[in-house]
């Protein structure tokens, strides 16, 4: 069994999409440093451009890691040396192949130089540990947990519990059959002249509109699928093969809702001035964080009441869609706790609706702090600790797995 001297650290590296991050985390979940460099180059493209992402990761990975080591060293009251490291953990997938490769290659050489093991982490498991590392106490002694992972690339529901070795096990009980939740936010945002990523903008602007529940009906949301009506067969043959005896699923769909918003925008002639709006918001200075204060006040000047109401109605429908599927699954599987993570878990309306429903159903619920909701390396290091203790190491042939699944 590997040595777990107190005070030792796992260095986590994350580069699966458009964030370059390095973090140092103790076994008890204490984060000594979590440095995240967000790429702004994609803002004008409505989504992440893979080639640009790889180039930016290459540029950022060394300074970001150096800064994390420096910050953690300052915290320790001495220069951080390799001897403090228990292991180097890195995101293996899912993600963009070229982007993952930058992190993996770098992590391999660091692990080799430091003479410590390399640990491969599934990005989706990382998102789950973003919650567990902060809120383990909320789930102490609770049976299976329902983990809701909602980001720009993924919308999954997992049943999670631990085996005798303390390793976490996951069973996928639902996924989106089309767009991911964050993708729907980003596409609707783009349609309305908002920069990428659109989720934080929609979140901030929706608070200034009034949601109309009738605008986007459940029928539109469920255009292609599904949700909460169990049991139901998975459509995709490959997925079915992986889950041969799992006919009860709680799949999600977001493309019907996105299409309904597009149709509404077109039929209500709301497209006028969208290009100018985008240029104005861009000129005002882009920031991936949720716009607030003066930036929000300035942005609000570019929206009329009808558009703000549309934004609020879209967000409300997306949130209801997620709440319905998550709680139906939790009830079906007798989950005693729920954790919500991934970029969309930063959404204030989703947090409020999930929390209210959980209180009503007396189920423990937890979210990551906002900084740990979106992609970061602290969650990768945290997810690596149980693997370190169980001696689950990667070898130096580790390669990116862009389509890596969890459960
Ligand atoms: O987890 P993440 O950083 O990257 C992926 O693994 O995809 O998630 C990014 C996604 C984007 O689609 C972004 O628009 C969305 O999370 N997002 C939000 C909010 N903050 C980020 N969506 C809704 N409301 C937010 N406040
Ligand atoms: Zn992510």
């Amino acid at each position: 069994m590997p040595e777990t001297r107190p005070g030792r650290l796992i260095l986590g590296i994350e580069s699966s999409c458009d964030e370059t991050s390095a973090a140092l985390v103790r076994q008890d979940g204490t984060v000594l440093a979590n440095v995240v460099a967000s790429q702004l180059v994609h803002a004008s493209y409505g989504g992440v451009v893979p080639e640009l992402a790889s180039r930016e990761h290459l540029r950022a990975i060394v300074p970001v890691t150096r800064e994390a080591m420096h910050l953690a060293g300052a915290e320790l009251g001495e220069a951080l040396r390799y001897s403090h490291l228990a292991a180097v953990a890195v995101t293996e997938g899912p993600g963009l192949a070229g982007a993952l490769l930058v992190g993996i290659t770098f992590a391999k050489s660091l692990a080799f130089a430091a003479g410590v093991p390399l640990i491969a982490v599934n990005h989706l498991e990382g998102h789950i540990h973003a919650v567990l590392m902060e809120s383990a106490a909320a789930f102490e002694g609770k049976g299976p947990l329902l983990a809701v992972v909602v980001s720009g690339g993924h919308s999954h529901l997992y049943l999670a519990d631990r085996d005798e070795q303390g390793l976490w096990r996951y069973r996928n009980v639902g996924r989106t059959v089309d767009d991911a939740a964050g993708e729907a936010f980003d596409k609707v945002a783009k349609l309305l002249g908002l920069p990428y990523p659109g989720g934080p903008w929609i979140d901030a602007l929706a608070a200034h509109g009034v949601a109309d529940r009738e605008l986007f009906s459940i029928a539109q949301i469920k255009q292609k699928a599904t949700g909460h009506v169990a049991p139901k067969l998975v459509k995709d043959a490959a997925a079915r093969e992986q889950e041969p005896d799992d006919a009860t699923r709680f799949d999600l769909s977001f493309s019907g809702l996105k299409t309904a918003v597009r149709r509404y925008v077109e039929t209500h002639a709301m497209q006028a001035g969208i290009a100018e709006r985008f240029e104005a918001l861009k000129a005002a200075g882009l920031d991936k964080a949720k716009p607030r204060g003066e930036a929000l006040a300035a942005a609000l000047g570019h929206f009329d009441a009808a558009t703000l109401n549309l934004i609020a109605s879209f967000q409300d429908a997306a949130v209801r869609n997620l709440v319905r599927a998550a709680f139906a699954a939790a009830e079906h599987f007798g989950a005693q706790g729920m954790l919500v993570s991934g970029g969309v878990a930063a959404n204030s309306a989703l947090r409020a609706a999930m929390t209210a429903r959980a209180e009503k159903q007396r189920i423990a619920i937890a979210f990551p702090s906002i900084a740990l909701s979106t992609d970061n390396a602290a969650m990768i290091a945290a997810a690596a600790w149980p693997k370190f203790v169980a001696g689950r190491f990667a070898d130096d042939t580790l390669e990116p797995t862009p389509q890596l699944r969890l459960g």
Side-chain angles (χ1 to χ4, degrees):
M1 183 142 303
E3 188 193 3
T4 54
R5 257 192 293 135
R8 293 190 80 196
L9 299 162
I10 287 186
L11 168 65
I13 304 280
E14 155 67 33
S15 69
S16 66
C17 192
D18 57 342
E19 254 88 28
T20 317
S21 181
L24 288 143
V25 178
R26 285 208 177 104
Q27 188 171 14
D28 65 2
T30 310
V31 178
L32 274 78
N34 183 29
V35 179
V36 182
S38 287
Q39 304 180 358
L40 299 177
V41 290
H42 311 288
S44 310
Y45 297 94
V48 177
V49 184
E51 289 77 8
L52 293 180
S54 308
R55 201 182 66 193
E56 294 294 310
H57 285 305
L58 269 176
R59 229 201 289 258
I61 195 124
V62 173
V64 160
T65 306
R66 201 171 276 158
E67 193 186 339
M69 297 286 275
H70 175 77
L71 289 174
E75 188 92 350
L76 290 169
E78 55 180 303
L80 184 67
R81 285 183 291 272
Y82 282 138
S83 58
H84 289 100
L85 295 185
V88 177
V90 65
T91 306
E92 178 185 10
L96 302 167
L100 290 163
L101 185 63
V102 176
I104 290 175
T105 310
F106 183 65
K108 273 186 200 173
S109 41
L110 273 186
F112 180 76
V116 297
L118 180 70
I119 298 175
V121 175
N122 184 310
H123 180 81
L124 298 164
E125 183 174 18
H127 275 303
I128 292 172
H129 279 264
V131 184
L132 294 174
M133 66 191 288
E134 292 181 320
S135 305
F139 301 124
E140 202 63 58
K142 301 250 187 272
L145 306 178
L146 188 86
V148 182
V149 183
V150 275
S151 71
H154 307 276
S155 297
H156 291 285
L157 304 180
Y158 298 101
L159 264 193
D161 66 0
R162 300 182 90 146
D163 69 10
E164 330 54 69
Q165 266 188 301
L167 284 167
W168 283 88
R169 295 183 294 203
Y170 310 92
R171 174 173 160 209
N172 185 293
V173 296
R175 64 165 60 87
T176 181
V177 297
D178 41 56
D179 293 348
E183 199 178 349
F185 275 86
D186 295 336
K187 286 180 177 170
V188 165
K190 187 182 179 192
L191 190 72
L192 296 172
L194 289 163
Y196 173 86
W201 285 94
I202 300 247
D203 191 351
L205 294 170
H208 296 267
V210 181
D212 177 356
R213 295 235 149 143
E214 310 299 313
L215 213 54
F216 303 115
S217 67
I218 297 302
Q220 283 168 324
I221 294 174
K222 293 202 303 169
Q223 191 189 47
K224 282 198 183 167
T226 94
H228 58 289
V229 192
K232 190 199 147 287
L233 270 179
V234 193
K235 282 186 173 176
D236 165 27
R240 206 160 44 223
E241 226 155 75
Q242 293 220 351
E243 295 143 4
D245 48 15
D246 189 357
T248 309
R249 299 195 49 85
F250 294 85
D251 287 341
L252 290 150
S253 167
F254 288 96
S255 84
L257 174 59
K258 172 198 66 191
T259 307
V261 175
R262 174 175 300 131
R263 224 175 283 129
Y264 189 93
V265 167
E266 285 165 4
T267 54
H268 292 74
M270 293 171 108
Q271 276 159 321
I274 278 177
E276 292 77 10
R277 178 186 296 161
F278 177 75
E279 288 310 323
L281 293 175
K282 218 173 94 171
L286 291 170
D287 189 337
K288 281 178 89 173
K290 190 169 156 181
R292 53 185 106 228
E294 275 177 40
L296 176 59
L300 278 168
H302 296 278
F303 292 87
D304 59 13
T307 312
L308 291 172
N309 292 345
L310 173 70
I311 290 171
S313 305
F314 158 73
Q315 177 172 275
D316 181 67
V319 165
R320 276 186 291 139
N321 195 17
L322 280 168
V323 170
R324 191 179 327 105
F327 282 89
E331 190 179 344
H332 181 85
F333 293 106
Q336 293 176 4
M338 186 181 291
L339 58 91
V340 190
S341 68
V344 182
N347 186 273
S348 48
L350 182 69
R351 284 182 178 230
M354 288 276 200
T355 304
R357 182 72 179 269
E359 262 170 28
K360 208 163 122 198
Q361 299 197 204
R362 294 176 192 285
I363 179 167
I365 191 162
F367 303 82
S369 55
I370 297 294
L372 294 186
S373 293
T374 47
D375 290 350
N376 68 87
M379 68 187 197
I380 301 302
W385 267 112
K387 298 181 201 295
F388 179 82
V389 173
R392 294 285 173 92
F393 303 133
D395 57 38
D396 57 12
T397 56
L398 181 70
E399 282 182 3
T401 309
Q403 307 292 344
L404 188 63
R405 280 172 179 261
L406 182 65

